[in-house]
Amino acid sequence: MSTRLGLPASIAWRYLRGRRSGLLTGTAVAALGSAGLGTAAMVVAMSLMNGYTEDLQGKMLDSGAIIVTPSSGDETAPDPRQLEALPEVEGVTYAVFAQGSVRSPRYPSGLDVTLRGVEPGRGRFGGTAAELGAGEDGVVGALLGVDLARRLGAVEGDRLRLVALGFGGGSAFRYRSLRVAGTFATGFSQFDQTYVVVDRGLVESLGVGAGLWEVAVRQPSQVERVRQQAEDLLGEHYLVHDWRQSNPGLFTALRLQKWALFLVLGLIVVVSTFNVGATLVVLVREKMRDVGVLAALGMRPAPLRRVFLLGG
């Protein structure tokens, strides 16, 4: 053993295998348990935070990682659909957004909602032409966020009353009946609690919405590059911003929470290091006679220190 490991390692191995006092054994077990518990808690907490952040980023990427908003009504402005030619872009869709209120028989006071006018079959919230089209009674269909439908007490086939404020030709309230064609669930509360997806032509006919282009990107790491390419291609006719610029407070809060968890759980690991130090102190105190014998036999301080470091 001495030949293979060297004298300090051989002595440390004999100390490790030999019989120890109850104090040393208890201290060593406490140090091992606290270090393992602290490390496990830190790994689990950081994994959960990373997974939650990546899931949230994925949902935002699906709904439009980059938003392109017209800044002028110039007819010579380039078409944002040319961005689909970029290899990093998964798709470009046009949507019209508006604010309104929806009332149901079970919730007559109504709830504030966000109207999302889409082209049927395009985008994450698209819905089919049959779902968003007019039925035999002439009432157009709509898809509700699952939480919104639950609050309204609405089920498929129910009729809802939409109230929206239009600005074309003078301010006036616009009224329209909607038929619940189904629900959708994204896991993102902003969508599931407030979104009503309808045909884009309906929102445009009411004169209540503002249109924008949503650019879906294949990977989160490509967002910055695609945003710069979009700005170069579209020029000053459009305002281009990505999901980080649209939700700065959300991701700042997530980043701060992540580091706060890391620091708090890191205290457990710091405490465990003190337990390890206490174990080494007990080991040295129990072997003071051995230290004296080894020193008398000519072992220098550096190899002696290495013995207890290896044992620890």
Side-chain angles (χ1 to χ4, degrees):
M1 180 69 70
S2 306
T3 305
R4 293 197 306 269
L5 300 180
L7 183 59
S10 177
I11 297 174
W13 177 250
R14 291 178 64 88
Y15 283 162
L16 187 62
R17 291 192 307 166
R19 298 181 60 185
R20 298 179 293 272
S21 68
L23 176 61
L24 180 59
T25 301
T27 306
V29 170
L32 178 62
S34 60
L37 179 62
T39 304
M42 182 178 295
V43 169
V44 170
M46 300 310 293
S47 298
L48 288 174
M49 286 299 300
N50 288 335
Y52 176 73
T53 303
E54 290 177 3
D55 182 64
L56 190 60
Q57 289 178 359
K59 290 182 172 63
M60 290 190 170
L61 288 176
D62 288 343
S63 61
I66 298 175
I67 305 298
V68 178
T69 307
S71 60
S72 66
D74 191 350
E75 296 181 355
T76 63
D79 189 347
R81 282 176 293 191
Q82 64 179 307
L83 296 175
E84 291 183 338
L86 299 176
E88 300 89 353
V89 174
E90 191 170 11
V92 179
T93 57
Y94 183 71
V96 181
F97 289 84
Q99 298 299 316
S101 175
V102 169
R103 293 180 294 184
S104 69
R106 297 182 181 87
Y107 205 101
S109 59
L111 291 172
D112 292 335
V113 298
T114 298
L115 291 176
R116 180 184 175 97
V118 300
E119 180 181 349
R122 293 292 303 271
R124 186 179 184 192
F125 305 96
T128 63
E131 290 175 328
L132 302 184
E136 296 179 356
D137 54 2
V139 179
V140 297
L143 298 177
L144 307 183
V146 62
D147 294 334
L148 175 62
R150 187 181 301 113
R151 294 174 64 191
L152 289 171
V155 297
E156 187 173 345
D158 284 356
R159 285 197 181 188
L160 306 176
R161 188 63 169 169
L162 169 66
V163 181
L165 179 63
F167 300 97
S171 297
F173 287 104
R174 318 290 191 190
Y175 299 90
R176 186 62 61 94
S177 293
L178 301 176
R179 170 179 45 85
V180 179
T183 60
F184 61 85
T186 65
F188 195 28
S189 60
Q190 179 181 344
F191 301 150
D192 295 343
Q193 294 180 3
T194 63
Y195 269 30
V196 176
V197 178
V198 295
D199 188 278
R200 190 174 66 203
L202 171 65
V203 183
E204 292 174 338
S205 66
L206 294 175
V208 297
L212 52 82
W213 296 87
E214 296 176 330
V215 182
V217 180
R218 302 183 189 280
Q219 297 293 334
S221 59
Q222 299 169 343
V223 171
E224 181 66 24
R225 188 192 328 165
V226 174
R227 184 179 64 82
Q228 294 177 352
Q229 292 174 337
E231 290 177 344
D232 296 337
L233 288 173
L234 301 179
E236 60 183 8
H237 299 286
Y238 294 90
L239 299 177
V240 181
H241 56 280
D242 58 35
W243 56 271
R244 295 184 182 90
Q245 296 169 324
S246 302
N247 304 273
L250 174 62
F251 288 96
T252 299
L254 288 175
R255 186 164 55 252
L256 291 176
Q257 184 178 7
K258 179 179 177 180
W259 282 108
L261 278 174
F262 177 79
L263 293 176
V264 171
L265 295 176
L267 293 177
I268 302 177
V269 181
V270 172
V271 171
S272 69
T273 61
F274 283 102
N275 288 334
V276 173
T279 303
L280 293 177
V281 171
V282 173
L283 176 63
V284 173
R285 294 296 298 176
E286 284 193 344
K287 304 299 182 182
M288 286 299 294
R289 295 178 62 181
D290 295 0
V291 171
V293 171
L294 292 172
L297 291 175
M299 181 172 281
R300 300 178 63 82
L304 269 175
R305 185 164 53 251
R306 195 175 306 121
V307 168
F308 293 99
L309 289 176
L310 293 174

